[in-house]
C-alpha cells in the first residue's frame, strides 16, 4: 500500500457537504483514500456520519463529521470555519448536499420553493464565500448539479431542475471570478446514481435504465472518481466545466 505521503491528495484538507449517505459518502471515502483529511457535514443522519468517520479512521485516514443544515447559511459558514480551525486550512470544497422533491408544479408551496433554493443553491454560494478566501493557489471547488438541469425526463421536476440549472450557472460565474486566485470551479452533472434519492429498484428505475445506453444506474464511486480527479493537481487546467456522468443518457 502507498504511504500517505505518496498519495495524490496527501496534505490536503477537503470539506464535503452532505457526506453521511449516498454520493457524498462515496466522495468522502474516495478523498480520504487518496490521502486528504476530510471534513463532512450532515443534516440528520448522525449515526451514518459517525460510522463513516470510524470506517475512515480504521483504514488509517482522518475525518471529522459536523452537523450543519445546508438550509441555514450560518451553519454552512460555521462548518467551513470549523474545518479551517480544526485542520489549519481548506483546499478542496465539494458542494454535494442536495434535496430532490418531485411534484406537479401547482402542488409545491412557496416554502418548498425557498427551501429548494436554500439547500441546493444558496448553501453553495455561502460555502464558497466562506472558503475561497482561505483556499489559495491550487484550490478546488466541485459542485454537484444534475442532468435534470438540461433535460426533464418526468413531470414534477420544475423546482429541482431550476435549482440544478442555477448550480451550473453559479459555477461558471465563480470559475471566472476565482481563476485569478488559482482556484478551479467545476460542476458534475450525474445521471441516475443508485442512492436513497434515486434507488435503482425505485418506480422510475426501469424507464431511467431504458434511457441510459449503458443500461444501468451509476454508482456513487463512479461520481467520486471524477471528484477525485478534479480535486487532483493534474486537473489545474479544468475550470468552468460541466461534466455529465450519466452512462450516455444525453448522447
Ligand atoms: N442520485 C442521483 O441519481 C443524483 C443524480 C443527479 C444529481 N444528484 C445530486 O447529487 C447529490 C447527492 O445526491 P444523493 O443521491 O447522494 O442523495 P441522498 O442519497 O439523498 O443523500 C443526500 C445527502 O445530502 C445530505 N443532505 C440533504 N439535505 C441536507 C441539509 N439540509 N443539510 C445538510 N445535508 C443535507 C444528506 O444528509 P442527511 O441524511 O444527514 O441529512 C445526505 O448525506 C445531490 O446534490 C443530488 O441532487 C444525485
Amino acid at each position: 500500500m502507498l504511504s500517505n505521503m505518496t498519495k495524490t491528495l496527501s496534505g490536503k484538507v477537503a470539506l464535503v457537504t452532505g457526506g453521511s449517505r449516498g454520493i457524498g459518502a462515496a466522495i468522502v471515502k474516495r478523498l480520504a483514500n487518496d490521502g486528504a483529511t476530510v471534513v463532512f457535514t450532515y443534516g440528520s443522519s448522525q449515526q451514518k456520519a459517525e460510522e463513516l468517520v470510524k470506517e475512515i479512521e480504521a483504514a488509517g485516514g482522518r475525518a471529522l463529521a459536523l452537523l450543519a443544515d445546508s438550509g441555514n447559511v450560518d451553519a454552512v459558514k460555521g462548518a467551513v470555519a470549523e474545518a479551517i480551525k480544526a485542520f489549519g486550512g481548506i483546499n478542496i470544497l465539494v458542494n454535494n448536499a442536495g434535496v430532490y422533491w418531485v411534484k406537479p408544479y401547482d402542488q409545491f408551496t412557496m416554502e418548498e420553493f425557498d427551501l429548494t433554493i436554500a439547500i441546493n443553491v444558496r448553501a453553495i454560494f455561502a460555502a464558497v464565500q466562506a472558503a475561497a478566501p482561505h483556499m489559495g493557489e491550487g484550490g478546488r471547488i466541485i459542485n454537484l448539479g444534475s442532468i435534470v438541469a438540461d433535460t426533464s425526463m418526468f413531470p414534477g421536476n420544475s423546482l429541482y431542475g431550476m435549482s440544478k440549472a442555477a448550480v451550473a450557472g453559479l459555477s461558471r460565474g465563480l470559475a471566472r471570478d476565482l481563476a485569478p486566485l488559482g482556484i478551479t470551479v467545476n460542476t458534475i452533472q450525474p445521471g441516475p446514481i443508485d442512492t436513497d434519492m434515486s434507488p435503482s429498484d425505485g418506480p422510475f428505475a426501469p424507464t431511467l435504465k431504458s434511457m441510459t445506453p449503458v443500461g444501468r444506474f451509476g454508482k456513487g464511486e463512479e461520481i467520486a472518481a471524477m471528484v477525485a480527479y478534479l480535486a487532483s493537481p493534474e486537473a489545474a487546467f479544468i475550470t468552468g466545466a460541466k461534466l455529465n456522468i450519466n452512462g450516455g443518457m444525453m448522447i
Side-chain angles (χ1 to χ4, degrees):
M1 192 176 135
L2 294 174
S3 85
N4 243 16
M5 290 317 292
T6 55
K7 292 184 173 182
T8 343
L9 301 180
S10 293
K12 306 284 186 195
V13 177
L15 173 63
V16 180
T17 66
S20 49
R21 297 183 285 118
I23 294 170
I27 294 169
V28 169
K29 282 189 225 177
R30 175 62 194 257
L31 297 182
N33 192 52
D34 285 359
T37 296
V38 186
V39 181
F40 67 92
T41 66
Y42 63 94
S44 55
S45 305
Q46 183 179 356
Q47 197 183 336
K48 287 192 172 163
E50 285 169 3
E51 282 165 9
L52 183 53
V53 170
K54 281 193 200 133
E55 186 183 332
I56 288 167
E57 287 174 348
R62 210 152 57 140
L64 172 67
L66 301 173
L67 171 64
D69 177 6
S70 285
N72 178 330
V73 166
D74 291 338
V76 172
K77 292 198 174 202
V80 173
E82 270 198 66
I84 292 168
K85 193 171 157 209
F87 300 112
I90 182 165
N91 309 101
I92 300 158
L93 170 65
V94 184
N95 289 300
N96 165 79
V99 286
Y100 180 34
W101 293 317
V102 189
K103 270 193 212 182
Y105 83 97
D106 54 355
Q107 290 179 23
F108 276 117
T109 65
M110 286 303 159
E111 287 71 27
E112 287 167 332
F113 182 103
D114 289 345
L115 208 48
T116 301
I117 289 288
I119 296 170
N120 289 6
V121 185
R122 190 181 64 185
I124 297 180
F125 190 63
V128 171
Q129 274 199 335
H134 302 274
M135 293 183 105
E137 178 77 34
R140 300 278 188 267
I141 297 171
I142 298 143
N143 298 326
L144 270 289
S146 168
I147 195 172
V148 180
D150 294 334
T151 179
S152 186
M153 299 90 94
F154 302 106
N157 278 330
S158 58
L159 295 191
Y160 186 70
M162 166 191 69
S163 71
K164 293 302 186 178
V167 170
L170 175 62
S171 301
R172 278 194 295 270
L174 290 170
R176 234 178 228 288
D177 286 358
L178 294 172
L181 302 179
I183 299 169
T184 65
V185 186
N186 292 292
T187 307
I188 294 177
Q189 296 195 156
I193 307 297
D194 184 18
T195 66
D196 297 339
M197 182 182 279
S198 175
S200 62
D201 57 359
F204 298 126
T207 312
L208 287 167
K209 280 181 204 160
S210 73
M211 292 166 74
T212 308
V214 303
R216 65 168 175 86
F217 274 46
K219 302 174 194 146
E221 292 77 13
E222 291 172 312
I223 301 301
M226 178 53 78
V227 171
Y229 175 65
L230 291 173
S232 74
E234 64 182 342
F237 201 57
I238 305 175
T239 196
K242 196 174 72 171
L243 298 151
N244 293 326
I245 312 294
N246 58 21
M249 194 179 233
M250 305 273 290
I251 53 180

